[in-house]
Amino acid sequence: MRSIVLTAALTCCTWIAFAQFSLKGQVSNGIEYLPGVNVMLYGDSTLIFATTTDSIGRYILKVVNTGSYRMACSLIGYNSFASLIAIDGSHHQLDVAEIVMSESAVELGEIEITANRSAIDQQLNRLVIRPQDAITQSGNSVLEVLQKSPGVLINKQTGLISVNGRSGARILINDKAVQVSPEVALQMLDGMNSAQIESIELIAVPSAAHDAEGAAGVINITTKKESELGTNGSMTATAGAHWAETLGFSGNINRRTRNIAYFLDYSILRDHNQHMLRMYRETHAGDLLMTSSDDSPRENITTQQNLRGGIEWHAGKRWTFNAQATGYLRDWALEAASHNVTTFNIDSINQTTLNITESNVWKSATGSIGVQYQLNATRHINVSLDYLYYQNNNPSNYTADKADAEEIELSKRTPIKFVVGTAQYVSSLKDNPFSWDAGVKAVLSSFENRVDVQRLTHGEWNDDKQFSSHSTVKEYILAAYVSTVLKAGNQWEVNTGLRYEYTHTDIAIGSDQQMFRRYGNLFPQLSVRKHLPEHGELYFSYSRRISRPTYNDMAPYVFFWSATSFSSGNTFLMPALSDNISAGLQLGSWNWLGLYSHTDNAIAQMQPQIIDKTTSLVLRAQNLDALNTFSLSTSCNHSLFTWWDVRGEFIAQYQRASTSNQPVPVDRSQWGLNLNVRSSVKLPHEIIFEVSLMYQSRSLSGISDFLPYGSLDAAIAKRIGRSSSLKFAIDDILNTNNWYIRTSSAENNLNVSMDYLWNNRFVRLSYTWNFGNRKIASIKSMQASDEERKRVN
């Protein structure tokens, strides 16, 4: 009896299995596959089966009986679709022809959704800054936004960016590394209006997909992208003053159709300012004590222009082609008078005025082409090729006020070329708990630096062999990486990566000195994240990074601060390797993050040193033996009332550095604090008032110290209609955001103080107007290849 029942059951199951029919297919709009489409199967007027399409528009419908059915599809923003389907029983699986839905001609009424979003969001592995959400940032350049960010220290003279005490952050724009020297990169950011920026991410532990360059991590700047169909854009005009007038304009226009999109951004900034340099030092020369003090007002006019354009073409559902081009022009003109007073044991006093005229012009043109092939909804391949050309012309003239004094003419010409190629395979998690990425990259670069110095002595020009130089650098970097992401349920996420980079550098200085460097390094990366109940997270990470010396750091050059002090390059610089460990905890609106890093051969900028057998002072980059940094940060965003938000970040830091690049080795340590607070109040009539405060305590810079500095900023904004706004802001109200650098090392005959007053107080009025059509998008936002450019210095 049991065997009969079992046989009957098996027969029934077999009949049901063979009698069940399935219909498979995909839904698109003719350009891309559509997710979330409601797909229904009717028999007469009775609903038999219903489902929704997945992330790539796929669906499966199941029925038991043969016959005729009606299939219907619906999605908001599209016309309904219906068709008759006949199932004759000859196949158990029927592949339905692709369904193409047309967009509805009826538009929904405009709905405006508003929500509070913090301008600074301290996440566990990164700090996200949104300039448009802070009215004190209105009219600021991107560089000024970075300067006021928590834990960020920027050396404008060298281009060095330090984050939480670690120097050498890598700058990316839309996930592509800026392929210029740090100094030039900062100049470009200084000419870029923050109105063009969607967000700035300070990533402490980048994935293996990023270059290993940058011991302090990665700073990724994301520009605004429009995904709406139609034409739209914005224009922002700024008028204000630092020491004198500052005028700026930026605008962008975007056009997007079903299968093509293009954009154009342009910005111009003219800043008339005056910096003030004060330098004092004491030097023992045998039995003599020499003191030297310099006082130099440095009036300068800077005009910067940025142009960026691009086009994207969706060729079918899988292929995307894009091309981008940029242009950059910066003209910096300086007139200064450096007043020097030198004494020898108070018995002898020598006074000199050195008149300085300098022009520094940077030009660049870059082009990029890329293609993306979409394998499916979760996997794609990117290939890109970039060409970059830069040119620097930096003539200077130095004339003393004495009748028999020498006149110095200096010219510096630097053309730089890059070719960058990348290829990537990228997969995303979505419904898959495991994903992996892999890629290769090649960077070929060439650089020429020609410095010619002539001195006018007794009416005759003579070449100065000490400071004149001609150097060339050829370099290629080859890299490959693999990165994985594993999700275990909704609790754990593990990200691992391994990157290998090989560097081949040839440096020729004149006809006598040549240097060849060949080295390869492995860069592992690991991060583990555990999600906690009630919006909490635990985070741990480890990574290894490298900071290569920039070209200008190594190539000989000269810049005179006064008659007895100058800056120069250091041919013998070595790359710095750092190991970084971080751990964090997030509970609701509170974040805690601890970070420890150890760096061998850390590169410290503008380190003072007395030239042998002279009393001249040279400032140049130097390798430290080791730099250890520990920081602990916490942040919180709190709404005291519905109309009053307060955001604060606090960073405590300890650093220890040791160096043997001085005649007597130096070992020193420093505690530091960084505070950043922002308060925003919503007033009636769509008015917002905001105050922000930034403070950085004494901080370590090799054998030197930066004394405390800070900035108090305020702004008020008024919305005008639905498409424009007016903002008034003032930066550095108390005029406290300046450099005060001190070096005290008696054993190395160094007692140097350098004050550089930037005139960062900036009063300005900004007006922004948005224009264009806005409609629900039906194609993906623009995705350029996710790779990088590089350094130039």
Side-chain angles (χ1 to χ4, degrees):
M1 184 66 182
R2 289 181 180 178
S3 61
I4 296 174
V5 173
L6 180 58
T7 301
L10 289 174
T11 303
C12 182
C13 291
T14 304
W15 179 84
I16 292 174
F18 279 94
Q20 182 167 297
F21 305 96
S22 62
L23 290 79
K24 294 177 60 179
Q26 285 181 291
V27 182
S28 77
N29 61 6
I31 302 298
E32 65 176 355
Y33 293 116
L34 298 175
V37 178
N38 297 311
V39 183
M40 296 154 287
L41 193 67
Y42 292 89
D44 295 329
S45 60
T46 304
L47 179 64
I48 304 298
F49 197 89
T51 186
T52 58
T53 58
D54 64 10
S55 57
I56 56 172
R58 296 178 302 189
Y59 65 88
I60 298 179
L61 297 171
K62 296 179 180 180
V63 296
V64 175
N65 300 319
T66 61
S68 296
Y69 296 87
R70 183 172 63 91
M71 187 169 66
C73 300
S74 65
L75 179 65
I76 295 177
Y78 290 86
N79 295 317
S80 298
F81 172 89
S83 178
L84 293 177
I85 299 291
I87 301 176
D88 58 12
S90 60
H91 297 88
H92 296 286
Q93 179 174 297
L94 178 62
D95 291 325
V96 180
E98 180 181 313
I99 297 172
V100 178
M101 299 183 67
S102 60
E103 188 176 359
S104 174
V106 179
E107 296 183 14
L108 296 176
E110 183 175 358
I111 301 174
E112 182 176 355
I113 301 174
T114 60
N116 293 328
R117 185 175 68 165
S118 175
I120 299 180
D121 184 11
Q122 176 67 71
Q123 301 174 8
L124 287 180
N125 65 334
R126 68 190 61 199
L127 182 73
V128 181
I129 304 162
R130 303 180 182 91
Q132 296 308 296
D133 293 328
I135 61 173
T136 51
Q137 309 284 22
S138 61
N140 274 162
S141 68
V142 176
L143 181 63
E144 289 168 326
V145 173
L146 279 174
Q147 284 181 296
K148 296 186 286 186
S149 301
V152 177
L153 174 63
I154 295 178
N155 188 324
K156 291 183 180 179
Q157 203 64 43
T158 64
L160 181 71
I161 301 179
S162 299
V163 181
N164 294 336
R166 299 183 301 161
S167 62
R170 179 74 166 198
I171 298 175
L172 283 73
I173 297 180
N174 295 328
D175 288 318
K176 301 192 92 178
V178 176
Q179 207 75 328
V180 292
S181 67
E183 179 186 358
V184 179
L186 258 59
Q187 294 170 4
M188 294 175 68
L189 298 182
D190 200 23
M192 185 182 294
N193 196 304
S194 62
Q196 298 175 322
I197 303 304
E198 179 66 29
S199 67
I200 302 173
E201 294 180 313
L202 278 61
I203 307 173
V205 185
S207 72
H210 292 101
D211 274 347
E213 179 74 30
V218 163
I219 298 176
N220 185 34
I221 300 168
T222 303
T223 58
K224 288 184 176 180
K225 298 177 182 178
E226 298 293 342
S227 60
E228 293 85 0
L229 294 178
T231 303
N232 49 52
S234 66
M235 292 187 292
T236 299
T238 300
H242 284 92
W243 175 75
E245 75 280 358
T246 298
L247 302 172
F249 171 82
S250 68
N252 66 84
I253 186 167
N254 306 273
R255 172 69 177 169
R256 181 171 289 275
T257 63
R258 289 185 180 278
N259 60 356
I260 195 168
Y262 48 88
F263 70 92
L264 184 67
D265 295 343
Y266 173 75
S267 65
I268 183 171
L269 176 69
R270 183 186 186 275
D271 182 32
H272 187 184
N273 205 343
Q274 178 175 270
H275 304 158
M276 180 66 69
L277 169 69
R278 300 191 185 107
M279 186 180 293
Y280 174 82
R281 62 189 179 96
E282 295 180 355
T283 304
H284 291 275
D287 296 331
L288 297 177
L289 172 64
M290 187 202 79
T291 66
S292 177
S293 61
D294 294 279
D295 191 343
S296 176
R298 303 168 63 83
E299 184 177 355
N300 56 86
I301 297 178
T302 306
T303 304
Q304 301 185 80
Q305 299 181 71
N306 281 279
L307 179 65
R308 189 174 67 97
I311 186 169
E312 180 193 58
W313 174 44
H314 292 269
K317 304 178 183 66
R318 296 187 181 275
W319 290 94
T320 301
F321 299 89
N322 60 72
Q324 293 192 33
T326 67
Y328 169 72
L329 174 62
R330 180 182 189 267
D331 188 349
W332 182 80
L334 167 75
E335 290 188 0
S338 179
H339 307 286
N340 175 264
V341 178
T342 301
T343 66
F344 292 91
N345 284 351
I346 313 180
D347 300 324
S348 174
I349 299 178
N350 182 33
Q351 299 189 46
T352 304
T353 298
L354 189 67
N355 297 309
I356 304 172
T357 302
E358 181 181 358
S359 176
N360 193 355
V361 179
W362 274 95
K363 301 177 182 179
S364 76
T366 70
S368 173
I369 56 175
V371 59
Q372 179 185 101
Y373 179 71
Q374 195 79 30
L375 297 170
N376 57 33
T378 61
R379 297 180 298 138
H380 64 267
I381 296 174
N382 290 332
V383 178
S384 69
L385 181 66
D386 299 350
Y387 176 78
L388 308 95
Y389 177 79
Y390 299 89
Q391 179 177 305
N392 176 232
N393 186 21
N394 184 199
S396 304
N397 177 272
Y398 305 89
T399 306
D401 61 344
K402 295 184 178 180
D404 59 345
E406 294 181 324
E407 181 178 351
I408 301 175
E409 286 279 1
L410 184 151
S411 67
K412 177 178 178 290
R413 296 180 298 278
T414 311
I416 309 162
K417 300 175 183 178
F418 282 90
V419 178
V420 184
T422 64
Q424 288 181 301
Y425 167 87
V426 181
S427 66
S428 59
L429 287 172
K430 292 193 176 179
D431 299 328
N432 190 349
F434 176 80
S435 67
W436 64 280
D437 304 348
V440 294
K441 173 186 176 183
V443 180
L444 308 178
S445 60
S446 63
F447 165 97
E448 183 179 4
N449 187 51
R450 182 182 293 274
V451 179
D452 295 317
V453 179
Q454 291 186 316
R455 294 179 181 268
L456 180 63
T457 307
H458 305 299
E460 183 177 351
W461 287 102
N462 298 297
D463 293 334
D464 188 324
K465 302 297 184 181
Q466 179 183 0
F467 294 117
S468 297
S469 66
H470 177 216
S471 59
T472 60
V473 178
K474 294 182 179 180
E475 181 179 76
Y476 65 80
I477 300 174
L478 304 177
Y481 80 92
V482 62
S483 178
T484 67
V485 179
L486 174 64
K487 274 192 173 182
N490 296 322
Q491 299 296 317
W492 292 91
E493 180 178 320
V494 181
N495 188 314
T496 61
L498 184 64
R499 187 180 185 92
Y500 177 79
E501 293 189 357
Y502 173 77
T503 305
H504 178 122
T505 307
D506 294 343
I507 304 173
I509 303 174
S511 58
D512 301 327
Q513 187 176 2
Q514 290 189 334
M515 296 182 62
F516 305 97
R517 290 183 176 174
R518 316 282 188 268
Y519 54 91
N521 299 97
L522 282 172
F523 300 96
Q525 175 262 328
L526 168 69
S527 63
V528 180
R529 185 190 304 270
K530 178 175 173 56
H531 297 277
L532 303 176
E534 304 298 329
H535 307 291
E537 285 187 346
L538 278 172
Y539 177 82
F540 170 83
S541 72
Y542 164 79
S543 68
R544 171 169 286 188
R545 308 285 293 169
I546 189 171
S547 291
R548 298 178 181 87
T550 61
Y551 296 157
N552 272 353
D553 285 340
M554 295 186 294
Y557 72 98
V558 64
F559 177 85
F560 290 96
W561 293 97
S562 68
T564 59
S565 59
F566 60 93
S567 293
S568 183
N570 182 357
T571 308
F572 302 101
L573 278 178
M574 298 296 293
L577 282 170
S578 66
D579 292 280
N580 311 287
I581 298 174
S582 63
L585 171 65
Q586 177 181 336
L587 292 175
S589 61
W590 279 96
N591 283 278
W592 290 267
L593 182 65
L595 186 145
Y596 169 77
S597 71
H598 171 81
T599 305
D600 291 318
N601 294 322
I603 299 174
Q605 302 288 335
M606 295 184 67
Q607 299 296 286
Q609 193 170 15
I610 301 297
I611 298 179
D612 292 340
K613 299 179 182 180
T614 73
T615 57
S616 294
L617 180 75
V618 61
L619 301 169
R620 58 162 63 103
Q622 298 277 12
N623 282 119
L624 306 179
D625 295 339
L627 175 65
N628 294 291
T629 302
F630 176 77
S631 66
L632 179 64
S633 63
T634 182
S635 65
C636 182
N637 186 33
H638 186 64
S639 294
L640 300 178
F641 301 97
T642 56
W643 46 272
W644 187 5
D645 288 338
V646 177
R647 169 81 191 188
E649 291 86 23
F650 177 83
I651 302 172
Q653 177 182 283
Y654 173 78
Q655 285 188 294
R656 188 171 189 88
S658 58
T659 177
S660 56
N661 58 48
Q662 297 288 339
V664 179
V666 176
D667 191 349
R668 53 197 308 270
S669 60
Q670 181 70 56
W671 287 90
L673 297 173
N674 180 273
L675 179 67
N676 196 293
V677 178
R678 177 175 283 105
S679 176
S680 179
V681 177
K682 295 180 181 178
L683 302 174
H685 307 295
E686 296 190 280
I687 297 175
I688 299 177
F689 177 69
E690 188 172 280
V691 176
S692 66
L693 170 67
M694 178 273 293
Y695 170 77
Q696 172 64 56
S697 69
R698 192 182 190 109
S699 57
L700 200 65
S701 178
I703 66 169
S704 304
D705 284 339
F706 275 82
L707 299 189
Y709 66 94
S711 181
L712 177 64
D713 311 329
I716 188 168
K718 169 73 170 97
R719 184 172 177 176
I720 304 174
R722 302 182 62 83
S723 60
S724 60
S725 62
L726 190 64
K727 302 173 184 177
F728 175 79
I730 178 171
D731 290 352
D732 198 14
I733 297 173
L734 303 179
N735 197 24
T736 52
N737 192 6
N738 297 295
W739 283 0
Y740 300 97
I741 307 172
R742 300 293 182 266
T743 307
S744 181
S745 180
E747 61 274 23
N748 289 298
N749 199 17
L750 290 173
N751 183 7
V752 182
S753 67
M754 179 179 180
D755 298 345
Y756 205 99
L757 312 182
W758 293 97
N759 261 315
N760 281 319
R761 182 182 291 158
F762 185 16
V763 182
R764 63 199 179 276
L765 185 68
S766 300
Y767 175 76
T768 301
W769 174 53
N770 299 297
F771 61 89
N773 303 324
R774 299 194 175 272
K775 192 165 63 171
I776 298 174
S778 65
I779 62 175
K780 300 173 186 176
S781 60
M782 187 169 182
Q783 276 190 322
S785 58
D786 294 336
E787 263 299 318
E788 308 145 311
R789 300 184 180 178
K790 192 146 198 274
R791 75 191 200 283
V792 156
N793 228 354

